[in-house]
Structure formats: structure tokens, C-alpha cells
Amino acid sequence: MIQHISADPSLGFFLPETEGADIHESIPPKEEETVIVKNFPNSLLSTDLESKLRDKGVTKIIVIGMTTHMCIDATARTAVDLRFETTVIEDACATLDLFYKGHDVPAEQVHYSLIAALNGIYAENTSSEDFLK
């Protein structure tokens, strides 16, 4: 499990010891599960995630979580660059509305734009229902 703790207080979110940085009560880590703390959107940047996966012989990873346009995108692309077979469970990811140069971009458009960009080249995208079959 990955936990995002912001290293930059000016961002105002994922700050240490705040509700935004807490692991949600609906998905507590299992007793034997390692929790890797990351300080950047990319779960593989400046963490020991890659070495832990390699030590266990892991070649396939599943990417889910927040936010599609940051953490999911950065982690999935890096995972593929590091030669992991990568699956994104598209309905187990979410994102936020964005605003750019006077344009509102609804979260659904942000999400599906990134999911479409990842599909095929950077990840195999699937639904949670199909993944669990």
C-alpha cells in the first residue's frame, strides 16, 4: 500500500498528521502489508517500492487510487518504463475538476482523457468487475 505524505507544506494537502494524509478506514493495510510513504505523485520516485517489488520477483503491478491526472499517470508510466507489466483499474481511480486558461475541465473528462492516453501503450486498462473475474 502506498501512502502520500506531502513534503511541501505550501501545497496544503496530504500534510503529515492530517485527515487528508490518513489511510481511509475502509482500506486498512493488512497486518503483513508494507506501507510505503511517498512524497511525490509518482509512487516509484524516491521510494523503495521498486526494490521491494523486485526482491519479491513481482513483474506485474496494479495501479488504483487518486488522482488519475497525477499519481495514477505518473506511476503507471514509470512502471512501464521500468519494465513492469502494468494494469490500471479505471473505475478504482478518481480525479478532480481542473481549470486551465479560462477553461473548466470536468473531472470525468480529465479522468477519461488520461485513461485513454495510458491504454495500450502504458497500461492495460480494465474495470474492477473484469479484473475480479
Side-chain angles (χ1 to χ4, degrees):
M1 177 177 286
I2 309 297
Q3 182 181 24
H4 192 135
I5 303 292
S6 180
D8 183 356
S10 70
L11 294 176
F13 55 90
F14 296 131
L15 298 176
E17 300 178 25
T18 65
E19 184 180 1
D22 290 344
I23 295 172
H24 195 272
E25 63 188 34
S26 66
I27 54 164
K30 295 178 181 175
E31 195 170 301
E32 70 281 2
E33 188 172 6
T34 300
V35 176
I36 294 175
V37 173
K38 67 177 181 130
N39 302 121
F40 304 99
N42 182 344
S43 297
L44 292 153
L45 177 64
S46 299
T47 69
D48 61 354
L49 177 59
E50 181 185 5
S51 65
K52 287 191 178 293
L53 294 172
R54 302 262 187 233
D55 289 348
K56 292 185 178 205
V58 173
T59 60
K60 299 177 182 182
I61 66 166
I62 311 303
V63 182
I64 64 170
M66 283 289 289
T67 57
T68 309
H69 72 280
M70 295 290 290
C71 302
I72 302 307
D73 185 49
T75 300
R77 289 174 188 269
T78 300
V80 170
D81 290 344
L82 294 172
R83 305 287 188 246
F84 287 100
E85 186 178 324
T86 304
T87 299
V88 173
I89 302 180
E90 61 196 33
D91 59 347
C93 301
T95 198
L96 308 167
D97 295 338
L98 297 179
F99 183 79
Y100 182 72
K101 292 189 175 182
H103 298 278
D104 289 311
V105 186
E108 184 177 35
Q109 289 180 8
V110 173
H111 176 75
Y112 283 107
S113 293
L114 268 294
I115 290 296
L118 290 172
N119 190 47
I121 296 172
Y122 280 99
E124 174 191 339
N125 295 341
T126 191
S127 68
S128 54
E129 182 179 341
D130 287 343
F131 179 76
L132 293 172
K133 286 182 183 177

